[in-house]
Amino acid sequence: MSIDIEAVSKTFGSFSALSDVSLKVPSGELVALLGPSGSGKTSLLRIIAGLETPDSGRILFDGVEATNRQVKDRQVGFVFQHYALFRHMTVFDNIAFGLTVKPKKERPGKQEIKDKVHSLLKLIQLEQLADRYPGQLSGGQRQRVALARALAVEPQVLLLDEPFGALDAKVRVELRRWLRRLHDEIHVTSVFVTHDQEEALEVADRIVVMNQGQIEQQGTPSEVYDRPATPFVYDFLGNVNLFKGRVHEGTAQMGGIKLSSPENASANDAPAVGYVRSHDIAIERDSSEGALKAEVRYLLSVGPLVRVDLSLPDGGPIEVDLPRDEADKLGLKVGDQVFARPRKMRVFVDDYQI
Amino acid sequence: MQVGRVLKKHNQRGGGSTSEPAWVRYLLVTVALIFLALFLLLPLAAVFAQALDKGWEAYLEALKEPDTLSAIRLTLTTAAVCVPLNLFFGIVASWAIAKFNFRGKSFLITLIDLPFSVSPVVSGLIYVLIFGLQGWLGPWLQDHDIKIIFAVPGIILATVFVTFPFVARELIPLMEAQGREEEEAALTLGASGLQTFFRVTFPNIKWGILYGVILCNARAMGEFGAVSVVSGHVRGSTNTIPLQVEILYNEYSYAAAFAVASLLALLALVTLAVKTAAEWKMQQTVTVSEKER
């Protein structure tokens, strides 16, 4: 089922959670709503589920207006950050709940429910825990039960509110890969909320970056990561370095580097900020055109990347991530004089403060 | 588990420096126990001793007296009306307060607490002012031959007012602590409002409800002040158990007075036992939910 969100706004008291948000989620896609806390992503998800009503705007399911449809009639599966399992019911009863509350006419028979629950337990690999209570499960197990419970009613849309947020790092990675595989199998339209960019980049077909109740950018993970549309997206996705300078008619002058910036062709000697990812900077021993003189301040060599903190003569800090072999070749030491060359810089006219 | 064990060990080692010396602990415990015995257990024992002073025969005889029987019946009737009413109200109010946001919520909470902060005598007087012969509705009620004050309806009204907060007060914190996610989950799974209440909310609050009902019942049966004002003390017709005890006592029939009073004391003991059990059960559900967080 496809979801259309048309010009939805929502305020809580004086706080504007969503302002004029429009979004299309095509059928069968796995979409991530990514943003910092307070960006409105959870409100948007709850509005889709019907747990909140928008102040204005419309929600359409498969092109049919559903703004005022009751939660129970929306056929959405909702997975909560804190699982929200029924604590007085066993795992089996939790998963069967959605089937047992159906009206008599639609309710499947006892055996049918049993078969369905057992096939779901198999899917989440917890067959042997059917008689346990939620309190006796680990966080990862509980979230899988919550997923199975939501899937039992065969929802048209699966909505997940920070589903891995309460889990520890290793379980989180395992579970999100499992979710991705699951989605490849069942292809239910899914929207999940997260503030973890890594999670969104790894799992989603499409990422919607939200900030202050509005959508900053949407696109595939590589579009959003490689071509951020706004300074906010640049800053939110990955490590980024800032260079201050000016831009005039498509040419930017950034602390001694001159580069073309065609998207700012209309700028007239405006103050600008250049954004460079930490892995888009090369470190060289010899001076050359387009490289900035800098001093090595700090080295952290753990894992596949070596983190190098540089400082420019004017005091500005730069963070660089170097592949280990490249760093080894350079043989850097703290206090060395080096030259930093930004390989890729994106310039935004300075109307945005971080 | 591991952490618990480590902590315990640590506590044992650090015990000497963090807790008081043994004699201080024993002294405090002894003082508390003596105080309890003096002010709670002794009077309770005295009630039963006095009641059974003239033997079982006299005890049962005193309870079989027609006026006393009528008082017992009236008290049971009052409780039978008040407790279900306040149970219903308490669940509705705490559901509204804990699960929804609306304007005037804190005002509603204050209002629910009102009977706690008003002297029961005043609560009774309010009804005399409204329904009494000199009151606002008095003349109209008399014209239509409806008796509220100095009759059973007045007693029930006053008791409902006084026992108003017990169930709600018990449930509001419990329901607030449990949040509304489980209910939301039930709704997204297709459950109706009633199904959600009976299959998800009720199992989580049933011990709290029992606790509230027990307290509400104890107060409904034991209320003296408010009922005394509106009852009119008509023997065999508008006397509840507490009023009957007072009348008997004032007439110097001590054994009979204590016999009737022992019924209330028994009720208190039963209340205590059920309350302890309910509290223990409730503690368990709350711990489980905390673990889940």
Side-chain angles (χ1 to χ4, degrees):
Chain A
M1 188 164 72
S2 66
I3 309 168
D4 285 284
I5 296 150
E6 291 183 355
V8 162
S9 296
K10 174 81 182 171
T11 56
F12 294 104
S14 59
F15 175 70
S16 167
L18 291 170
S19 44
D20 199 24
V21 169
S22 295
L23 177 68
K24 276 182 195 304
V25 181
S27 189
E29 263 200 1
L30 177 53
V31 172
L33 298 179
L34 175 67
S37 55
S39 60
K41 55 193 193 305
T42 295
S43 301
L44 186 59
L45 194 77
R46 290 173 63 86
I47 286 173
I48 298 173
L51 295 169
E52 307 277 355
T53 15
D55 298 337
S56 62
R58 301 199 304 163
I59 305 286
L60 288 86
F61 285 164
D62 267 341
V64 181
E65 163 117 37
T67 317
N68 296 314
R69 208 182 282 174
Q70 291 269 308
V71 183
K72 68 186 181 80
D73 302 325
R74 289 197 186 207
Q75 294 188 286
V76 296
F78 202 102
V79 175
F80 295 82
Q81 181 177 4
H82 296 291
Y83 330 122
L85 293 176
F86 307 128
R87 66 196 98 180
H88 60 283
M89 292 184 203
T90 60
V91 167
F92 183 96
D93 291 335
N94 262 286
I95 298 176
F97 183 86
L99 300 170
T100 58
V101 295
K102 282 188 190 245
K104 265 229 167 70
K105 272 177 282 168
E106 302 165 31
R107 196 185 307 160
K110 268 217 170 108
Q111 190 57 44
E112 214 174 314
I113 291 180
K114 212 170 159 186
D115 294 345
K116 175 104 202 197
V117 173
H118 278 293
S119 74
L120 281 163
L121 279 168
K122 204 168 163 184
L123 181 75
I124 60 169
Q125 296 149 18
L126 293 178
E127 283 158 295
Q128 68 287 6
L129 301 182
D131 297 326
R132 296 273 188 94
Y133 285 88
Q136 301 167 309
L137 303 180
S138 73
Q141 289 172 334
R142 283 183 211 172
Q143 197 57 297
R144 278 188 279 166
V145 173
L147 255 160
R149 182 179 68 176
L151 291 173
V153 289
E154 292 174 9
Q156 299 292 310
V157 179
L158 190 58
L159 305 170
L160 307 107
D161 183 10
E162 304 240 7
F164 316 123
L167 304 171
D168 55 58
K170 193 151 180 278
V171 180
R172 197 183 310 180
V173 173
E174 274 170 27
L175 207 51
R176 75 186 183 217
R177 290 192 181 148
W178 180 80
L179 175 73
R180 181 64 242 187
R181 285 199 302 275
L182 180 77
H183 187 266
D184 290 341
E185 264 171 54
I186 60 176
H187 286 298
V188 60
T189 311
S190 308
V191 181
F192 83 103
V193 155
T194 181
H195 61 258
D196 181 348
Q197 36 129 342
E198 209 181 297
E199 192 172 296
L201 291 169
E202 184 172 330
V203 176
D205 294 322
R206 230 151 51 87
I207 295 179
V208 177
V209 184
M210 297 192 65
N211 181 34
Q212 299 186 336
Q214 283 174 322
I215 293 175
E216 291 271 339
Q217 185 179 6
Q218 45 176 310
T220 64
S222 62
E223 274 170 14
V224 174
Y225 189 79
D226 294 332
R227 291 192 297 283
T230 66
F232 175 82
V233 180
Y234 234 118
D235 194 43
F236 195 73
L237 286 167
N239 279 326
V240 73
N241 293 294
L242 272 58
F243 292 86
K244 285 198 188 305
R246 302 192 87 76
V247 58
H248 181 65
E249 287 174 2
T251 307
Q253 190 73 38
M254 292 286 160
I257 314 170
K258 203 173 197 179
L259 72 158
S260 82
S261 167
E263 58 276 13
N264 292 311
S266 60
N268 186 6
D269 197 24
V273 179
Y275 290 78
V276 187
R277 294 228 187 273
S278 53
H279 56 77
D280 280 335
I281 296 181
I283 294 181
E284 294 162 356
R285 282 292 186 187
D286 304 311
S287 164
S288 63
E289 176 73 26
L292 297 165
K293 199 174 148 191
E295 189 188 321
V296 178
R297 274 291 162 87
Y298 180 72
L299 286 163
L300 176 70
S301 48
V302 176
L305 291 177
V306 176
R307 150 73 51 90
V308 185
D309 283 5
L310 303 175
S311 75
L312 296 172
D314 65 6
I318 305 179
E319 284 177 14
V320 184
D321 286 326
L322 285 184
R324 180 167 287 279
D325 55 343
E326 205 173 304
D328 289 346
K329 240 179 264 168
L330 281 165
L332 293 174
K333 287 192 302 292
V334 173
D336 282 2
Q337 293 289 331
V338 292
F339 295 88
R341 173 199 296 281
R343 279 190 289 251
K344 219 162 99 189
M345 184 187 284
R346 178 76 194 272
V347 178
F348 292 96
V349 171
D350 192 10
D351 54 359
Y352 174 80
Q353 299 291 326
I354 287 185
Chain B
M1 268 313 252
Q2 205 60 42
V3 175
R5 226 175 292 145
V6 171
L7 278 180
K8 212 169 171 190
K9 231 188 227 168
H10 181 79
N11 269 354
Q12 277 168 356
R13 228 186 303 140
S17 58
T18 52
S19 69
E20 301 295 332
W23 67 269
V24 175
R25 274 181 281 155
Y26 288 130
L27 185 73
L28 286 174
V29 172
T30 316
V31 168
L33 282 181
I34 290 177
F35 195 84
L36 269 176
L38 215 59
F39 287 92
L40 291 175
L41 292 180
L42 196 64
L44 205 59
V47 168
F48 286 106
Q50 284 281 351
L52 296 169
D53 194 29
K54 292 184 180 154
W56 272 103
E57 295 283 305
Y59 179 77
L60 291 176
E61 207 53 47
L63 293 184
K64 274 191 206 146
E65 210 261 324
D67 286 355
T68 305
L69 278 181
S70 138
I72 293 172
R73 220 172 307 141
L74 179 58
T75 296
L76 291 177
T77 317
T78 310
V81 176
C82 292
V83 173
L85 266 182
N86 279 334
L87 173 63
F88 177 74
F89 163 78
I91 291 174
V92 170
S94 45
W95 175 278
I97 286 168
K99 311 280 176 182
F100 299 102
N101 284 316
F102 54 90
R103 225 181 261 218
K105 188 161 148 175
S106 53
F107 181 67
L108 184 60
I109 296 174
T110 318
L111 217 58
I112 289 172
D113 275 345
L114 187 69
F116 275 161
S117 52
V118 173
S119 157
V121 178
V122 178
S123 315
L125 276 175
I126 295 169
Y127 286 100
V128 174
L129 273 177
I130 299 173
F131 299 113
L133 256 187
Q134 317 300 325
W136 296 341
L137 298 175
W140 184 87
L141 287 171
Q142 202 182 25
D143 288 348
H144 292 78
D145 205 21
I146 301 170
K147 272 192 79 72
I148 290 184
I149 297 303
F150 305 144
V152 179
I155 293 172
I156 290 175
L157 276 177
T159 311
V160 166
F161 181 85
V162 173
T163 58
F164 209 51
F166 285 98
V167 177
R169 264 286 131 195
E170 200 49 52
L171 291 185
I172 291 169
L174 185 63
M175 286 170 105
E176 274 179 342
Q178 289 175 345
R180 47 204 262 199
E181 276 198 343
E182 283 183 48
E183 279 82 8
E184 287 178 347
L187 289 177
T188 60
L189 290 167
S192 67
L194 276 181
Q195 279 173 324
T196 305
F197 178 77
F198 282 111
R199 299 200 42 189
V200 175
T201 310
F202 181 77
N204 284 339
I205 59 168
K206 59 184 176 197
W207 295 108
I209 289 182
L210 180 64
Y211 188 22
V213 163
I214 292 291
L215 287 181
C216 179
N217 181 59
R219 184 67 189 268
M221 291 190 170
E223 175 56 26
F224 180 85
V227 171
S228 173
V229 176
V230 294
S231 113
H233 305 267
V234 183
R235 281 189 175 218
S237 121
T238 66
N239 263 352
T240 59
I241 296 179
L243 301 184
Q244 183 70 8
V245 173
E246 197 213 12
I247 288 178
L248 290 172
Y249 184 79
N250 286 345
E251 287 170 349
Y252 305 106
S253 12
Y254 292 135
F258 278 108
V260 181
S262 73
L263 290 181
L264 288 176
L266 263 181
L267 173 72
L269 288 179
V270 172
T271 305
L272 228 103
V274 181
K275 182 182 140 227
T276 314
E279 242 172 10
W280 184 72
K281 277 282 181 187
M282 213 158 63
Q283 201 56 47
Q284 278 192 323
T285 44
V286 170
T287 339
V288 168
S289 77
E290 264 167 15
K291 257 195 244 152
E292 224 164 295
R293 290 281 123 169

